[in-house]
């Protein structure tokens, strides 16, 4: 064995993370080297849970680039929540494989230039593969895609559990079923690599094997000052899930287990409310509600981390799509500014002066009606999450405040002017 080939093999076995450094991922540490080596060489199933910003998906991209070189006749199927999420990682992987350092490693190992014989946004194969099976070396799919007839030596899942799994029992069950179906595509002697973030005690991660956890305190990748900044910028449950890898107990939560529907026609002829942000940490929230004759209340919510002026075009589009009537908005702070801007769009609007304590309003109207509320599936997960997180001392309360204000209008039988 010549010295260059031996050096290449030693590098790939002992320090594969250095390839990451050479292609621009200079923040990778020896911890990432341990993760990458486990992906490449561990023979048993594994589940790596690491905090947001820990470069776990970057490590996976390096794995997807290196494995087809060291074991070119094995095939990998790679799953994320959606096809769009998959394309992002596959493109990054293909760029790594086209880099000069990978080309040099392949030349040292095999004496040839690495070339793609198939290359798309979702899959690729190289000239190193000599298998007659015909499967791509790496194929990426959204977790909900049909997998009938497909097989893989290694099945990789990355972030197939997300915020939607926290807020929706149906989504949690759907993801678990999809994950269990993946067991059928693993070839004999094959293995699973799972990475992600836990969102709920009953989500799909709860059934994944051989879990290793790396929270924001153990990796040393985020400074204490930055962690405090992050903590202040999001809800407690989001920080706990994304950075501490734990669930906040919801036994005393005011709002739990939201219900959803896919039938958007049920919200037609409802009314809307805007909780406006004019800067700072607050967000702009839009709520639409329609009370049905049987007492059920169909809802839709959207939250933006933007000034209300930057949201009005989207709000007008939702208003037209859902055939909504009057838009309610508070005019205490802005002296009627938002009401005038909505009128300029040709939409019906009613301004009001808010005098009720926010906690009392949410406790009175949203909590009372929560059991009767059914949300459109397209409702923004961040909007619902803000409601689920709400308590008297919550810093971010734009969504529950908006919903409660509109429920108060419904309780008075007002605001039903409908656009013609």
């Amino acid at each position: 064995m010549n010295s260059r080939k031996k050096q290449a093999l030693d590098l790939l076995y002992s320090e594969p993370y250095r390839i990451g450094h050479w292609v621009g991922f200079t923040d990778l540490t020896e911890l990432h080297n341990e993760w990458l080596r486990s992906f490449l060489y561990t023979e048993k199933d594994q589940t790596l849970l690491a905090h947001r910003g820990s470069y776990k998906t970057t490590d996976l991209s390096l794995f997807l680039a290196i494995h087809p070189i060291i074991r070119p006749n094995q095939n990998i199927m790679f799953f994320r929540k959606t096809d769009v999420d998959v394309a992002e990682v596959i493109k990054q992987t293909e760029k790594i494989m086209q880099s000069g350092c990978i080309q040099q490693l392949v030349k040292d190992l095999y004496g040839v230039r690495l070339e793609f014989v198939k290359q798309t946004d979702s899959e690729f194969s190289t000239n190193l593969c000599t298998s007659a099976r015909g499967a791509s070396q790496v194929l990426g799919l959204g977790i909900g895609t049909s997998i009938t007839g497909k097989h893989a030596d290694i099945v990789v899942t990355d972030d197939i559990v997300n915020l939607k799994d926290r807020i929706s029992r149906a989504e949690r069950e759907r993801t678990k079923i999809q994950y269990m179906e993946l067991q059928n595509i693993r070839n004999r002697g094959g293995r699973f690599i799972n990475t992600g973030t836990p969102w709920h005690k009953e989500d799909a991660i709860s059934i994944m094997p051989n879990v290793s956890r790396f929270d924001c305190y153990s990796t040393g990748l985020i400074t204490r000052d930055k962690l405090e900044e992050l903590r202040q910028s999001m809800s407690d449950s989001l920080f706990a899930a994304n950075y501490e890898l734990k669930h906040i107990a919801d036994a005393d939560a005011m709002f739990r287990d939201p219900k959803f529907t896919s039938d958007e026609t049920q919200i037609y002829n409802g009314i809307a409310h805007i909780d406006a942000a004019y800067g700072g940490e607050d967000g702009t929230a839009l709520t639409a509600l329609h009370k049905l004759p049987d007492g059920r209340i169909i809802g839709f919510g959207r939250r933006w981390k933007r000034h209300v002026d930057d949201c009005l075009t989207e709000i007008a589009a939702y208003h037209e799509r859902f055939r909504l009537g009057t838009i309610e908005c508070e005019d205490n702070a802005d002296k009627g500014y938002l009401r005038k801007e909505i009128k300029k769009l040709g939409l019906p609007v009613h301004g009001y002066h808010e005098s009720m304590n926010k906690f009392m309003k949410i406790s009175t109207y949203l909590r009372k009606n929560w059991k009767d509320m059914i949300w459109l599936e397209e409702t923004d997960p961040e909007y619902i999450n803000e409601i689920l997180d709400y308590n008297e001392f919550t810093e971010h309360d734009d969504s529950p405040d908006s919903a409660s204000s509109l429920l108060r209008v419904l309780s008075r039988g007002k605001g039903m002017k409908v656009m013609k």
Side-chain angles (χ1 to χ4, degrees), residues 38-101:
S38 72
F39 296 158
L40 289 167
Y41 304 115
T42 298
E43 296 182 355
K44 65 180 182 179
D45 295 344
Q46 60 179 301
T47 301
L48 171 69
L49 305 183
H51 63 82
R52 180 177 289 185
S54 63
Y55 305 109
K56 61 182 182 296
T57 301
T58 300
D59 242 27
L60 270 183
S61 297
L62 287 167
F63 163 73
L64 294 174
I66 295 171
H67 189 274
I69 295 171
I70 62 176
R71 292 192 175 91
N73 289 329
Q74 288 190 353
N75 72 304
I76 300 170
M77 290 190 68
F78 171 66
F79 293 89
R80 297 193 89 193
K81 195 69 164 179
T82 68
D83 292 335
V84 174
D85 298 331
V86 165
E88 177 186 358
V89 177
I90 296 297
K91 285 180 180 178
Q92 180 168 278
T93 300
E94 291 171 346
K95 287 182 178 179
I96 293 170
M97 299 186 77
Q98 292 168 324
S99 65
C101 64

Side-chain angles (χ1 to χ4, degrees), residues 291 297 364-373 407:
K291 189 168 186 176
I297 301 171
T364 301
Y365 294 101
L366 186 55
R367 190 171 189 177
K368 175 183 176 182
N369 290 285
W370 184 252
K371 66 182 185 304
D372 298 318
M373 300 186 74
L407 286 165

Side-chain angles (χ1 to χ4, degrees), residues 225-250:
D225 288 343
K226 182 61 177 177
L227 280 176
E228 285 307 309
E229 181 183 331
L230 289 166
R231 191 191 303 272
Q232 296 302 317
S233 69
M234 63 189 68
S235 67
D236 290 342
S237 71
L238 279 175
F239 184 84
N242 282 280
Y243 294 96
E244 298 176 316
L245 306 183
K246 66 183 183 181
H247 312 294
I248 293 180
D250 60 359

